[in-house]
Amino acid sequence: MAKLEMMKGGGRKIYLPDIVQSDCSLFTKLLPKNCNTKFISITGQDGSGKTTLRDNLAEYFAKQGKTVITAKSPCDKHTVNLLNHAISQNGYEDWYTEQLLFSFMDGVLSNYMVQLKGRCDYFICQRGPIDQYAHGVTRSGKEYEEIYKIQRPERLEKFDVYLHLNCEAKTAWERIKEDEGKDRYEYFEYFEKQVPNTKILYDNIVSGNYPELDFLRSSKHHYIDTTAYTTEKVMEEAISLLKEEK
């Protein structure tokens, strides 16, 4: 049975894995129909506040009576375990298989987005296909073109809005260093590389100089530096930016 968290105001907040059935199809019988679904991706630096913003936005819209589905990409825990514990470990480096798995999960997420179009008011995803061009570049050292050739993003459903969150590496590390369950890329030296790549990606999307990023240009993009921001300030700015899109 799907877990639907009812909110004051009549809205619902649903975590995507809670409506994925044993055969990997989605349980949608309890979802509304004929919604004008807004697809939002919260992307960017680890420790910049993506999870918190995703959950706060979901609660905000649900309290307004909206049906909100939240997700995190990759959206399958078994694939995440493979990426964290089986691929490129113990001296064995296999960037190609890693990239194939990330690209496979982009396709799974896209399939879910197709099924949920019109069935919720907001779909808010932490990360998404875009992250292969910042986190993926940092992880592998590859160019956009090499990632694009494997991912083939033109096949994927499009997000309406991307919120790019970033912060200084030291700030990011201080925020997450005590967290349990950190993945193998969540360490300070990695963050020092990831932070500039996150900003470079945003700038390259806006500039339009890389054809490999063309699939992102039909979406709206907003950049928020959360280094000196409280959670409340990040939320306030995000809501303001999203209101501009209406």
Side-chain angles (χ1 to χ4, degrees):
M1 179 63 66
K3 179 182 176 183
L4 308 180
E5 184 178 349
M6 303 297 294
M7 307 294 290
K8 290 182 179 179
R12 291 180 289 183
K13 186 172 63 171
I14 306 158
Y15 187 43
L16 177 64
D18 291 334
I19 59 171
V20 177
Q21 302 182 105
S22 59
D23 63 356
C24 295
S25 65
L26 296 184
F27 182 82
T28 60
K29 291 182 179 179
L30 300 180
L31 298 178
K33 297 181 180 180
N34 303 315
C35 298
N36 182 21
T37 307
K38 175 81 76 174
F39 291 96
I40 301 170
S41 174
I42 302 175
T43 183
Q45 168 65 33
D46 292 310
S48 61
K50 298 186 299 299
T51 305
T52 301
L53 179 59
R54 180 199 65 185
D55 294 343
N56 286 347
L57 286 173
E59 184 169 356
Y60 173 85
F61 290 125
K63 286 181 177 178
Q64 294 181 352
K66 306 299 184 182
T67 296
V68 186
I69 295 178
T70 62
K72 181 179 180 179
S73 182
C75 55
D76 174 71
K77 64 180 181 180
H78 301 295
T79 304
V80 171
N81 283 335
L82 282 174
L83 289 165
N84 279 334
H85 303 296
I87 309 299
S88 295
Q89 294 287 299
N90 303 314
Y92 174 72
E93 297 295 330
D94 187 355
W95 170 82
Y96 185 74
T97 300
E98 281 191 348
Q99 196 62 39
L100 286 174
L101 283 172
F102 276 112
S103 298
F104 167 72
M105 290 311 303
D106 288 339
V108 172
L109 178 66
S110 184
N111 179 282
Y112 289 153
M113 290 170 65
V114 170
Q115 295 181 62
L116 293 171
K117 186 177 292 186
R119 305 304 303 270
C120 61
D121 297 294
Y122 291 92
F123 180 88
I124 307 176
C125 189
Q126 178 184 345
R127 299 201 177 281
I130 190 174
D131 285 271
Q132 295 200 39
Y133 297 87
H135 178 47
V137 166
T138 307
R139 184 182 71 248
S140 66
K142 304 296 183 180
E143 300 293 332
Y144 292 156
E145 183 179 7
E146 293 176 272
I147 293 173
Y148 172 86
K149 286 179 179 178
I150 297 177
Q151 187 192 46
R152 293 299 183 189
E154 62 273 5
R155 67 194 164 94
L156 304 174
E157 282 295 297
K158 303 294 190 293
F159 283 90
D160 297 296
V161 181
Y162 284 95
L163 296 174
H164 299 249
L165 270 56
N166 205 2
C167 63
E168 294 177 359
K170 183 177 179 180
T171 300
W173 177 243
E174 288 297 321
R175 288 172 177 171
I176 65 98
K177 67 180 182 180
E178 302 299 332
D179 290 356
E180 295 183 4
K182 293 190 293 295
D183 68 43
R184 61 194 175 96
Y185 296 110
E186 291 181 314
Y187 57 94
F188 180 69
E189 291 78 11
Y190 184 84
F191 287 0
E192 288 185 302
K193 300 175 183 178
Q194 188 183 18
V195 167
N197 283 338
T198 297
K199 182 60 165 65
I200 289 168
L201 174 62
Y202 172 79
D203 291 339
N204 286 338
I205 293 169
V206 173
S207 71
N209 292 331
Y210 287 83
E212 298 87 357
L213 302 177
D214 283 349
F215 77 101
L216 295 165
R217 294 196 181 102
S218 62
S219 308
K220 299 294 184 180
H221 293 266
H222 301 289
Y223 184 86
I224 305 174
D225 187 331
T226 70
T227 301
Y229 279 10
T230 62
T231 297
E232 293 75 20
K233 178 62 177 175
V234 174
M235 179 66 174
E236 178 184 333
E237 183 158 343
I239 290 295
S240 176
L241 292 169
L242 291 173
K243 284 181 177 179
E244 294 177 7
E245 305 303 332
K246 293 184 177 181

